[in-house]
Amino acid sequence: MELVDPFGRTVRDLRISVTDRCNFRCTYCMPAEGMVWLDRSEILSFEEIERVARICVEHFEVDSLRLTGGEPTVRAHLTVLIDKLSKLRVPTTASSEFAGKQPDIALTTNASTLRNIAYELKAAGLSRINVSLDSLHRERFEQMTRRDELENVLEGIKVAQDAGFSPVKLNAVIERGMNDDEIVSLAAFGRDTGVEVRFIEFMPLDASEEWGMKKVVSQDEIVAAISAVYPLEQMSARGAAPADRWRYLDGRGVVGVIPSVTKPFCADCDRVRITADGQFRTCLFSTTEFDVRAVLRNGGTDDDIATLIRHAVGTKWAGHQIGHVNFIRPKRSMSQIGG
Ligand code: SAM
Ligand code: SF4
């Protein structure tokens, strides 16, 4: 049975945060110091995550699972979880390209250790990798992530491609005055390496609360900057995918932009999320969470969990209000929710 929200959108994609911890401290996400981590006991076990995912996949026909965090690769034995998730099967009756198969399983990572684990991830059943990379200059990379890891990330991308992830996608958050002068060079990196670059508009989810509209580089500006150098043509409508996509007219690949702030894609949103501590959210910007962990740990049945999820989805709003006077920032920041 599909999960349909009050605005007629069908839920297809579950984003699972496996940890709130991270080995980077990106300025647009975390403060340099002082993050308070969840206690180990608060975090869902792999068995608990697998149970929630199974209910979503087998009961609600969700066909896409995205592992995120925090930095998902800092969670020990991540491949064990991927292996468990890869054994789930989307019902054969589902109207999905994955009907009868394992769901699409993706990982969003800063890629600092990807060079060591890419082959293992592939063997465990991971379908896709999205790497976050915002600068190709070592010093700027260090300024943005507060870690000197650019070389490792670049090597990680290469090894992921060698391991057969195709295409590797690259997420680049663009912040005015920080890395907006690298839009064209990041696009060129994608063209040269076969990585599909997706630029992301800076969202008000930074723990230090320094976000402001002035720091947002809009989709229109990003596309204008790229097409001035590499002419582009827009591809057909994105559907439920968050990125609008453009094709290079010279045939050298595709580039995307995720315009969460200036052109929100809420009307087509098919996503729900579960935080590392088992709180179910129907939007990145929700101010309400539903305590799935309590049901899991108090002897709840699969039906009890499904009922809570259905109830939560029944409260999903039409869309976020970034930039409007009535926008309320969620209490948790990006790494605590799971981006
Ligand atoms: N640590 C992993 C990584 O960085 O890829 C996964 C978690 S991270 C929170 C997921 C994505 O959110 C990354 O692509 C990151 O660049 C993006 N992100 C974090 N804070 C953001 C913000 N304030 N605005 C827009 N994107 C943000
Ligand atoms: Fe860590 Fe990802 Fe947040 Fe950067 S964006 S601090 S890598 S969770």
PDB file of all heavy atoms in Angstrom, residues 22 24-26 28-30 69-71 110 335, ligand 2:
ATOM      1  N   CYS A  22      30.535  13.502  12.864  1.00  0.00           N
ATOM      2  CA  CYS A  22      31.231  13.739  11.603  1.00  0.00           C
ATOM      3  C   CYS A  22      32.690  14.039  11.877  1.00  0.00           C
ATOM      4  O   CYS A  22      33.038  14.595  12.920  1.00  0.00           O
ATOM      5  CB  CYS A  22      30.581  14.918  10.872  1.00  0.00           C
ATOM      6  SG  CYS A  22      31.285  15.173   9.236  1.00  0.00           S
ATOM      7  N   PHE A  24      34.351  16.005   9.708  1.00  0.00           N
ATOM      8  CA  PHE A  24      34.550  17.348   9.164  1.00  0.00           C
ATOM      9  C   PHE A  24      33.762  18.332  10.028  1.00  0.00           C
ATOM     10  O   PHE A  24      32.922  17.916  10.844  1.00  0.00           O
ATOM     11  CB  PHE A  24      34.017  17.444   7.724  1.00  0.00           C
ATOM     12  CG  PHE A  24      34.915  16.849   6.661  1.00  0.00           C
ATOM     13  CD1 PHE A  24      35.953  15.989   6.964  1.00  0.00           C
ATOM     14  CD2 PHE A  24      34.698  17.155   5.321  1.00  0.00           C
ATOM     15  CE1 PHE A  24      36.760  15.443   5.968  1.00  0.00           C
ATOM     16  CE2 PHE A  24      35.491  16.616   4.321  1.00  0.00           C
ATOM     17  CZ  PHE A  24      36.525  15.755   4.639  1.00  0.00           C
ATOM     18  N   ARG A  25      33.992  19.595   9.804  1.00  0.00           N
ATOM     19  CA  ARG A  25      33.211  20.635  10.484  1.00  0.00           C
ATOM     20  C   ARG A  25      32.873  21.714   9.459  1.00  0.00           C
ATOM     21  O   ARG A  25      33.282  22.864   9.592  1.00  0.00           O
ATOM     22  CB  ARG A  25      34.027  21.271  11.635  1.00  0.00           C
ATOM     23  CG  ARG A  25      34.318  20.366  12.794  1.00  0.00           C
ATOM     24  CD  ARG A  25      33.059  20.062  13.619  1.00  0.00           C
ATOM     25  NE  ARG A  25      33.376  19.201  14.747  1.00  0.00           N
ATOM     26  CZ  ARG A  25      33.498  17.872  14.661  1.00  0.00           C
ATOM     27  NH1 ARG A  25      33.322  17.255  13.505  1.00  0.00           N
ATOM     28  NH2 ARG A  25      33.787  17.177  15.734  1.00  0.00           N
ATOM     29  N   CYS A  26      32.142  21.352   8.398  1.00  0.00           N
ATOM     30  CA  CYS A  26      31.841  22.328   7.347  1.00  0.00           C
ATOM     31  C   CYS A  26      31.143  23.544   7.950  1.00  0.00           C
ATOM     32  O   CYS A  26      30.219  23.398   8.753  1.00  0.00           O
ATOM     33  CB  CYS A  26      30.959  21.693   6.276  1.00  0.00           C
ATOM     34  SG  CYS A  26      31.714  20.235   5.552  1.00  0.00           S
ATOM     35  N   TYR A  28      29.053  25.620   6.838  1.00  0.00           N
ATOM     36  CA  TYR A  28      27.621  25.816   6.577  1.00  0.00           C
ATOM     37  C   TYR A  28      26.770  24.760   7.263  1.00  0.00           C
ATOM     38  O   TYR A  28      25.556  24.711   7.080  1.00  0.00           O
ATOM     39  CB  TYR A  28      27.347  25.813   5.063  1.00  0.00           C
ATOM     40  CG  TYR A  28      27.931  24.625   4.338  1.00  0.00           C
ATOM     41  CD1 TYR A  28      27.385  23.362   4.500  1.00  0.00           C
ATOM     42  CD2 TYR A  28      29.034  24.758   3.495  1.00  0.00           C
ATOM     43  CE1 TYR A  28      27.916  22.257   3.861  1.00  0.00           C
ATOM     44  CE2 TYR A  28      29.565  23.661   2.841  1.00  0.00           C
ATOM     45  CZ  TYR A  28      29.005  22.421   3.025  1.00  0.00           C
ATOM     46  OH  TYR A  28      29.538  21.333   2.398  1.00  0.00           O
ATOM     47  N   CYS A  29      27.399  23.892   8.042  1.00  0.00           N
ATOM     48  CA  CYS A  29      26.677  22.773   8.668  1.00  0.00           C
ATOM     49  C   CYS A  29      26.906  22.735  10.185  1.00  0.00           C
ATOM     50  O   CYS A  29      25.963  22.748  10.957  1.00  0.00           O
ATOM     51  CB  CYS A  29      27.127  21.474   8.008  1.00  0.00           C
ATOM     52  SG  CYS A  29      26.310  19.988   8.603  1.00  0.00           S
ATOM     53  N   MET A  30      28.191  22.713  10.588  1.00  0.00           N
ATOM     54  CA  MET A  30      28.510  22.535  12.009  1.00  0.00           C
ATOM     55  C   MET A  30      29.361  23.695  12.532  1.00  0.00           C
ATOM     56  O   MET A  30      30.100  24.301  11.768  1.00  0.00           O
ATOM     57  CB  MET A  30      29.358  21.271  12.182  1.00  0.00           C
ATOM     58  CG  MET A  30      28.611  20.002  12.069  1.00  0.00           C
ATOM     59  SD  MET A  30      29.638  18.692  12.773  1.00  0.00           S
ATOM     60  CE  MET A  30      28.676  17.273  12.371  1.00  0.00           C
ATOM     61  N   GLY A  69      23.953  11.491   7.264  1.00  0.00           N
ATOM     62  CA  GLY A  69      24.267  11.780   8.660  1.00  0.00           C
ATOM     63  C   GLY A  69      24.308  13.289   8.871  1.00  0.00           C
ATOM     64  O   GLY A  69      23.678  14.025   8.110  1.00  0.00           O
ATOM     65  N   GLY A  70      25.139  13.773   9.708  1.00  0.00           N
ATOM     66  CA  GLY A  70      26.470  13.382  10.063  1.00  0.00           C
ATOM     67  C   GLY A  70      27.199  12.738   8.881  1.00  0.00           C
ATOM     68  O   GLY A  70      26.761  12.784   7.768  1.00  0.00           O
ATOM     69  N   GLU A  71      28.318  12.154   9.198  1.00  0.00           N
ATOM     70  CA  GLU A  71      29.061  11.458   8.142  1.00  0.00           C
ATOM     71  C   GLU A  71      28.811   9.952   8.296  1.00  0.00           C
ATOM     72  O   GLU A  71      29.310   9.336   9.242  1.00  0.00           O
ATOM     73  CB  GLU A  71      30.553  11.808   8.240  1.00  0.00           C
ATOM     74  CG  GLU A  71      31.448  11.020   7.310  1.00  0.00           C
ATOM     75  CD  GLU A  71      30.951  10.975   5.853  1.00  0.00           C
ATOM     76  OE1 GLU A  71      30.458  11.988   5.327  1.00  0.00           O
ATOM     77  OE2 GLU A  71      31.051   9.895   5.249  1.00  0.00           O
ATOM     78  N   ASN A 110      31.203  12.644   2.751  1.00  0.00           N
ATOM     79  CA  ASN A 110      32.265  13.629   2.484  1.00  0.00           C
ATOM     80  C   ASN A 110      33.478  12.969   1.823  1.00  0.00           C
ATOM     81  O   ASN A 110      34.425  13.657   1.462  1.00  0.00           O
ATOM     82  CB  ASN A 110      32.651  14.393   3.760  1.00  0.00           C
ATOM     83  CG  ASN A 110      33.279  13.507   4.828  1.00  0.00           C
ATOM     84  OD1 ASN A 110      33.898  12.484   4.551  1.00  0.00           O
ATOM     85  ND2 ASN A 110      33.135  13.924   6.079  1.00  0.00           N
ATOM     86  N   SER A 335      23.375  18.431  10.211  1.00  0.00           N
ATOM     87  CA  SER A 335      24.026  17.156  10.538  1.00  0.00           C
ATOM     88  C   SER A 335      23.222  16.368  11.576  1.00  0.00           C
ATOM     89  O   SER A 335      23.345  15.150  11.669  1.00  0.00           O
ATOM     90  CB  SER A 335      25.435  17.407  11.069  1.00  0.00           C
ATOM     91  OG  SER A 335      25.365  18.150  12.265  1.00  0.00           O
TER      92      SER A 335
HETATM   93 FE1  SF4 B   2      30.005  16.724   8.162  1.00  0.00          FE
HETATM   94 FE2  SF4 B   2      28.595  16.535   5.924  1.00  0.00          FE
HETATM   95 FE3  SF4 B   2      28.031  18.429   7.761  1.00  0.00          FE
HETATM   96 FE4  SF4 B   2      30.262  18.627   6.340  1.00  0.00          FE
HETATM   97  S1  SF4 B   2      28.169  18.679   5.536  1.00  0.00           S
HETATM   98  S2  SF4 B   2      30.071  18.882   8.563  1.00  0.00           S
HETATM   99  S3  SF4 B   2      30.834  16.519   6.085  1.00  0.00           S
HETATM  100  S4  SF4 B   2      27.828  16.280   8.044  1.00  0.00           S
END
